[in-house]
Structures are given as structure tokens and as C-alpha cells.
Amino acid sequence: MNHMNIKSSLQYIPLAIMTLAIGYSIYTILTTNILLAGKHYWGIFFVLASIVAIVLNRKTGKVVTLITLLAGALNLIAFTPVITAYTFGFSVNNNGLDLKVQPFSLWVLLLFIVINIKAAGRVLRWFFTN
């Protein structure tokens, strides 16, 4: 396998990790008494949308995968059977700015950014120059 084949295969690793996590979640609900929440169903929907988008258009698939990972990292959707989220921020009398972050999704998001660093650099340059 040459360098370009390896490099093009690497970009699918984050989506493969999310797909495996969703598969594990489905296996877990079938074999235990754990139930899926609404966040899981949205996670399944977004992972399927990412797969379809990558098959149809690779660049669009990357964007959909990025959006999926951002939603997961911000605790809007879930990929793992047990939803673990840490809260960052501050609040007084339950009023304030709290940000919930899922560690699993955050790590996969960071992996996605590292793998797609050149594309991320182009997007950031475009964003800040326009």
C-alpha cells in the first residue's frame, strides 16, 4: 500500500470509531437492561448521515462528520451506551454558562482534526480572511 492510499484511508478512522461505538451501543441494549436515550438515536442518525455523505461526496462527508463530532463533543448526541459528560463553566443559583463535554466524542474530534489538519488549516484561513 503506497503513501497516498494510507493517507486517504486514515481520514475514515474517526467515522469508523463512531460506527463501532454505535454498534457497541446497540449490542449493549440488546444484551443488557440499558436503554437508549434520544441522544443515542440522534447519534445513530448523524453517523448514518456521515456515511451516506462520504459515499456521495468525500468533502461533504468530512463536513457532516465534523458536525457530528462537534455535536457529540458538546453533549448534544451520544455514541456510547453510557453517556458521560463533564461540565465546565460557572453558574450562580443555576444561572450561568455551563458547557457539557463528552470525553469520548472530544477525543475522536481531536483525532479527526489531527488527521485532517491541512483541510482544517484551509478552512480557518478562509474563515479569517473573508
Side-chain angles (χ1 to χ4, degrees):
M1 192 183 272
N2 65 24
H3 178 68
M4 289 307 289
N5 287 341
I6 292 172
K7 193 172 181 180
S8 66
S9 297
L10 281 178
Q11 67 186 349
Y12 301 113
I13 289 176
L15 183 57
I17 291 171
M18 286 189 300
T19 304
L20 288 172
I22 289 290
Y24 176 69
S25 294
I26 293 170
Y27 169 78
T28 301
I29 62 131
L30 292 175
T31 58
T32 65
N33 61 354
I34 294 176
L35 300 175
L36 293 182
K39 290 181 182 183
H40 292 106
Y41 294 111
W42 282 109
I44 293 168
F45 171 77
F46 275 95
V47 168
L48 290 175
S50 295
I51 293 169
V52 169
I54 278 189
V55 168
L56 296 177
N57 183 330
R58 196 170 74 186
K59 287 184 180 182
T60 303
K62 283 185 180 182
V63 172
V64 174
T65 302
L66 176 62
I67 291 168
T68 302
L69 286 168
L70 281 171
L74 295 175
N75 198 32
L76 300 173
I77 61 176
F79 309 112
T80 56
V82 177
I83 302 171
T84 304
Y86 296 102
T87 303
F88 298 97
F90 64 92
S91 62
V92 176
N93 294 329
N94 293 326
N95 293 322
L97 178 65
D98 288 330
L99 179 67
K100 289 190 176 190
V101 177
Q102 289 180 21
F104 172 81
S105 299
L106 180 62
W107 285 113
V108 179
L109 174 64
L110 292 174
L111 176 64
F112 178 85
I113 291 170
V114 167
I115 290 172
N116 295 292
I117 194 73
K118 287 184 181 179
R122 283 192 303 267
V123 169
L124 288 174
R125 266 186 259 117
W126 175 85
F127 183 73
F128 287 114
T129 57
N130 288 332

